[in-house]
Amino acid sequence: MAKDSTAKPVYILGISCYYHDASAALLKDGVVVAAAEEERFTRKKHDTSFPLHAARYCLESQGIAITDVSYVGFYEKPFLKMERVLSQHLEMFPRSLKTFLSAVPSWISEKLRVPKAIRRKLGYKKGVLFVEHHVAHAASAFLVSPFSEAAIVTVDGVGEWTTTTYGVGRGNDLTLLKEIVFPHSIGLIYSTITAYLGFSVNNSEYKVMGLAPYGNMNPDTNEYYHKLRRVVDIKEDGSYRLDMSYFTYHYADRMPSGKLCALLGGPATKKGAEMTKRHQDIAAAVQLLTEEILTKILIHVRKETKQENIVLAGGVALNSVYNGKILRKTGFRRIWIQPNASDGGTSIGVASYIHHMLLGNKRGYVMRDAYLGPSFTTTEIKGFLDKRGIKYSEGFLDKRGIKYSEFKNEKEMIENTAKLIYGNAVVGWLQLGMEYGPRALGARSILANPCNPEAKELLNTKVKHREKFRPFAPAVCEDDALTYFDCDEPIPEPTDFMLMVYPVRKKWQKAIPSVTHVDGSGRLQTVRREQNPRYYDLIKAFGKLSGVPILINTSFNIRGEPIVCTPHDAYKCMMGTGIDYLVMDRFLVCREDNPKDMWDSEKYAED
Amino acid sequence: MSRGAALAFLKGCREGMHLFGQNIALIINTILLTAVYVLGVGMTSLIAKMAGRHFLETRMKKGEKESYWKDLNLGKKAVDEHYRQF
């Protein structure tokens, strides 16, 4: 039966905030029409504050007011979380005094006053719906996945009490069957080692993942793996328990205890210290331990649920190195992970949960791309460039002797941008809506030539100002991926969101040195034309010039800053770094052509 | 004193008072919260510990259990239950 076209659409706003990566998402009749993280607007990385800008963007994108929203949902149950926090203090008295003094004021002033904040900041007068944290994670993965049935596993640091769950989703229904509760947490083991290695917690876990392949990834010979194994009791069904004498996160603001430091052979590493072989082996050990636990969990879940499809959510689901091994190790046949699998993605989870589980609506939406953030029209970008007095378009003569003009059409824009990249220029690329989630996927990206052996060092030192060991990601058209990478077949859809690491085929490793990690792997992004035609065509055009249809794709930001959102952010980022050109819609801006706006971002690059 | 200098002086006074207020609030908060922590959390914690009650499972005895999974069975609930924060 045809839907009544006069019926008023049902809008649901999902909100997550006050821990890390605050975000808002808007559903219109079950379809995610807008979603964004607050950090992109406030320019504070991992901003925890109420997502006022993100929520406003969601409403404005649809031309609606808060009064048009039927339901607002929040991604966790604050009182349950408060119960856990109080339990920590009761158990750990008097050692938890410092964290009590630092944490309690924010609980009193904001975390226990969510409905009031929503009423005051958004003007929403109705009641707010609260969904358990891991249910929001599970919903954020299953309810927007392509599967009608799937096993669900959620793993993160901690929600209210839960740290790990598994369950089953069928149709528009999901049930979480089992859980592991705080303080036992895979996510927090990983974060503890992240802190031990001198990186920032809830931010730099991916650096540990990137460092691990430099270390000894053989569990038989990595001594630190055997040491960490003493800290955790792992059962055959994947359930686990930590010996908490090695940790302090349940009562202090630092994570490894003196006992863990002694076990690992020295005090916690100072921030910014050089990574030695020992650090690399410790990173490898925690990656091995995580993989061991997750493999056991997934094999158990496969056996218990008898499902062939698996969906994953929670911060640990961003471990792309392990994600690429799941299908080969666990017996599942298909996998789905949402592009914003961490807490930021729970705003979509809670909104989808309300639409499907509470209102009983059938599913009809699959999250095929992540371009859910603000986008800018040609007129808006031209308006910005004119207002700023930036030189662009007509008569611009590149120092390589190629004359450019304002791109007359898409074809010209793509061909010329491909030529610039082929000539080893670093190009900032702003097109479509901003990505939802931590990865730049061809809407707010820095693009470069992967065949250039110098590109990795150039990008790490002059553009991103980040550690030398960190690899860059290759972007490849989906139809070319199997030529260059040893992927699962068919290629899992999370690869589109840069969530799966696969080996680069040996034959091609030397051809694309800048995106081949030390262990011969690459965290590739596959691109389908229907998702982002300009980006897809650009990669193909570059392939025609270079013979290798792959681009380096790294997030359009400097270290310690969120990914750019607006043309202004993009221009500012380019002018402060070694990015040579900025392509926004059909406009090309050259850094050297605008010396008055140049600045040096290096001193601000800090996590 | 010129008008500009007077405005700058007033602005400085306002900022100084604001900072002073913040510091006083921090000191009072710290004193009050320490009292709550010692008297409320501390007393409860001591009594609970004497009674053998634990609020977190921090001890690990290998081989103690066959599995650490706990039943959850968290499925669909009535809408009203989701208006609660617990």
Side-chain angles (χ1 to χ4, degrees):
Chain A
M1 197 169 72
K3 197 177 167 186
D4 179 4
S5 59
T6 59
K8 210 177 159 192
V10 174
Y11 288 103
I12 302 171
L13 183 67
I15 285 176
S16 77
C17 59
Y18 299 148
Y19 186 41
H20 59 89
D21 300 308
S23 73
L26 186 70
L27 262 64
K28 179 184 179 185
D29 291 332
V31 175
V32 182
V33 288
E37 285 143 314
E38 186 68 0
E39 63 163 26
R40 308 291 166 86
F41 303 91
T42 60
R43 311 306 302 153
K44 290 181 201 160
K45 201 168 185 189
H46 303 301
D47 195 351
T48 62
S49 62
F50 187 86
L52 184 60
H53 301 86
R56 277 187 187 151
Y57 151 70
C58 288
L59 299 176
E60 282 165 12
S61 73
Q62 298 303 302
I64 60 168
I66 192 70
T67 47
D68 297 312
V69 174
S70 306
Y71 301 92
V72 172
F74 191 70
Y75 82 121
E76 64 182 12
K77 296 238 176 191
F79 284 23
L80 282 183
K81 195 168 186 176
M82 181 68 188
E83 182 199 19
R84 189 255 299 165
V85 172
L86 275 178
S87 298
Q88 287 174 239
H89 293 298
L90 287 167
E91 182 67 28
M92 301 313 299
F93 178 86
R95 285 189 283 179
S96 60
L97 174 64
K98 195 177 163 193
T99 49
F100 184 86
L101 294 178
S102 62
V104 167
S106 68
W107 275 99
I108 295 167
S109 63
E110 55 185 21
K111 292 179 183 174
L112 293 176
R113 297 181 176 197
V114 172
K116 193 179 171 188
I118 291 172
R119 196 165 53 245
R120 196 161 42 86
K121 294 185 179 185
L122 291 177
Y124 182 75
K125 302 279 193 281
K126 292 180 257 181
V128 176
L129 292 157
F130 295 86
V131 172
E132 288 84 353
H133 184 93
H134 277 258
V135 172
H137 270 315
S140 80
F142 176 67
L143 294 176
V144 297
S145 77
F147 307 141
S148 56
E149 279 194 25
I152 302 167
V153 171
T154 68
V155 194
D156 72 357
V158 60
E160 291 92 359
W161 274 97
T162 309
T163 64
T164 309
T165 70
Y166 75 82
V168 185
R170 288 190 183 90
N172 62 336
D173 197 17
L174 64 88
T175 305
L176 294 181
L177 302 167
K178 303 273 183 183
E179 67 174 346
I180 290 170
V181 298
F182 186 85
H184 310 289
S185 165
I186 306 172
L188 291 174
I189 300 176
Y190 214 96
S191 293
T192 301
I193 297 300
T194 300
Y196 181 79
L197 293 174
F199 301 121
S200 51
V201 170
N202 283 336
N203 177 45
S204 301
E205 281 76 2
Y206 64 100
K207 292 184 189 175
V208 177
M209 190 178 71
L211 185 64
Y214 289 93
N216 179 2
M217 285 296 282
N218 182 346
D220 296 330
T221 53
N222 184 323
E223 61 168 312
Y224 296 102
Y225 165 74
H226 290 282
K227 286 178 175 178
L228 284 182
R229 216 37 195 84
R230 277 188 238 157
V231 171
V232 196
D233 184 23
I234 309 168
K235 302 295 184 190
E236 272 313 299
D237 61 6
S239 62
Y240 58 92
R241 181 166 284 197
L242 311 186
D243 182 341
M244 293 310 296
S245 62
Y246 289 96
F247 302 91
T248 61
Y249 58 74
H250 50 308
Y251 63 87
D253 54 6
R254 62 185 192 283
M255 299 190 84
S257 71
K259 195 173 169 184
L260 185 65
C261 293
L263 182 75
L264 296 176
T269 313
K270 284 190 178 150
K271 193 179 168 187
E274 194 69 29
M275 290 293 109
T276 63
K277 182 77 176 87
R278 179 176 153 265
H279 296 111
Q280 293 162 355
D281 284 347
I282 292 170
V286 75
Q287 180 67 24
L288 285 167
L289 185 75
T290 305
E291 292 185 8
E292 180 185 354
I293 298 172
L294 290 174
T295 301
K296 284 186 172 170
I297 289 176
L298 290 170
I299 289 171
H300 174 70
V301 171
R302 168 95 173 94
K303 202 169 117 192
E304 287 287 300
T305 63
K306 298 178 177 57
Q307 295 291 324
E308 293 194 330
N309 304 323
I310 177 74
V311 298
L312 291 174
V316 178
L318 292 175
N319 193 311
S320 48
V321 170
Y322 180 66
N323 293 342
K325 300 173 184 173
I326 288 176
L327 296 186
R328 296 175 197 197
K329 283 189 166 184
T330 64
F332 283 107
R333 296 186 67 181
R334 293 180 72 198
I335 184 170
W336 165 264
I337 306 167
Q338 202 239 91
N340 201 355
S342 185
D343 279 8
T346 52
S347 52
I348 281 186
V350 63
S352 301
Y353 184 89
I354 293 168
H355 184 77
H356 298 296
M357 289 280 286
L358 300 186
L359 304 179
N361 293 303
K362 289 200 169 137
R363 289 165 57 202
Y365 167 78
V366 176
M367 196 172 178
R368 299 284 183 199
D369 66 63
Y371 308 120
L372 295 163
S375 59
F376 299 88
T377 63
T378 308
T379 313
E380 284 171 327
I381 293 171
K382 189 172 187 305
F384 163 73
L385 293 171
D386 287 339
K387 200 174 157 191
R388 289 274 313 176
I390 296 164
K391 279 190 192 173
Y392 69 97
S393 75
E394 294 87 8
F396 171 65
L397 189 68
D398 182 275
K399 65 180 179 184
R400 291 174 188 80
I402 306 162
K403 191 173 182 184
Y404 290 98
S405 59
E406 179 181 330
F407 301 124
K408 289 192 183 88
N409 54 45
E410 198 127 318
K411 190 169 175 265
E412 191 184 71
M413 185 264 277
I414 295 214
E415 283 175 359
N416 283 295
T417 307
K419 276 182 201 166
L420 289 173
I421 297 172
Y422 184 56
N424 292 332
V426 178
V427 171
W429 176 258
L430 185 145
Q431 309 284 344
L432 295 179
M434 182 182 69
E435 296 90 343
Y436 178 63
R439 305 278 168 259
L441 301 170
R444 303 290 184 276
S445 290
I446 295 171
L447 306 174
N449 180 357
C451 308
N452 175 9
E454 312 293 323
K456 183 179 167 186
E457 195 172 341
L458 174 82
L459 285 169
N460 267 338
T461 54
K462 291 197 173 168
V463 179
K464 306 282 283 190
H465 310 305
R466 63 186 207 180
E467 299 87 347
K468 284 182 187 169
F469 67 83
R470 291 171 59 191
F472 284 100
V476 59
C477 296
E478 192 262 347
D479 45 306
D480 291 325
L482 286 168
T483 307
Y484 300 94
F485 299 91
D486 185 13
C487 306
D488 293 305
E489 290 184 63
I491 298 170
E493 285 171 72
T495 317
D496 298 356
F497 308 132
M498 219 188 264
L499 289 171
M500 315 286 277
V501 168
Y502 288 112
V504 180
R505 291 196 190 276
K506 278 222 164 72
K507 184 183 162 189
W508 293 102
Q509 288 182 2
K510 282 187 181 159
I512 46 172
S514 296
V515 289
T516 303
H517 201 18
V518 65
D519 61 349
S521 68
R523 191 182 66 186
L524 69 154
Q525 178 204 0
T526 45
V527 184
R528 297 165 209 258
R529 195 166 192 285
E530 61 270 23
Q531 294 167 333
N532 190 339
R534 282 180 182 171
Y535 187 41
Y536 179 95
D537 292 346
L538 178 67
I539 298 169
K540 286 283 187 188
F542 177 80
K544 277 185 193 163
L545 296 171
S546 67
V548 184
I550 295 172
L551 289 177
I552 294 179
N553 170 20
T554 185
S555 54
F556 199 160
N557 64 333
I558 57 166
R559 180 179 169 193
E561 270 205 352
I563 295 174
V564 302
C565 176
T566 64
H568 171 265
D569 300 335
Y571 178 69
K572 189 181 164 202
C573 182
M574 174 182 76
M575 296 312 294
T577 61
I579 296 172
D580 300 303
Y581 297 93
L582 173 60
V583 178
M584 299 193 286
D585 194 88
R586 60 188 171 92
F587 300 99
L588 176 75
V589 185
C590 174
R591 184 171 189 268
E592 287 198 352
D593 212 29
N594 297 279
K596 65 181 171 41
D597 289 328
M598 284 183 187
W599 62 289
D600 185 5
S601 63
E602 190 166 4
K603 59 185 170 192
Y604 301 102
E606 196 176 293
D607 290 330
Chain B
M1 187 187 281
S2 70
R3 190 168 175 269
L7 285 173
F9 175 74
L10 286 173
K11 193 182 168 202
C13 281
R14 203 164 48 238
E15 281 172 4
M17 290 302 283
H18 183 68
L19 198 64
F20 179 71
Q22 277 183 333
N23 288 335
I24 290 291
L26 182 69
I27 292 164
I28 292 173
N29 275 347
T30 305
I31 293 167
L32 288 176
L33 286 173
T34 305
V36 169
Y37 184 75
V38 173
L39 298 174
V41 177
M43 294 301 283
T44 312
S45 175
L46 289 174
I47 293 165
K49 278 172 188 166
M50 282 191 280
R53 167 92 161 84
H54 286 281
F55 298 92
L56 289 182
E57 292 177 352
T58 54
R59 285 166 184 76
M60 179 184 84
K61 282 183 193 164
K62 287 192 178 179
E64 184 187 25
K65 288 182 178 178
E66 280 188 18
S67 173
Y68 295 121
W69 287 115
K70 291 184 171 186
D71 285 333
L72 180 59
N73 291 319
L74 193 55
K76 191 173 178 177
K77 293 189 284 190
V79 177
D80 284 350
E81 290 196 39
H82 289 282
Y83 284 110
R84 291 201 314 249
Q85 296 190 51
F86 53 88

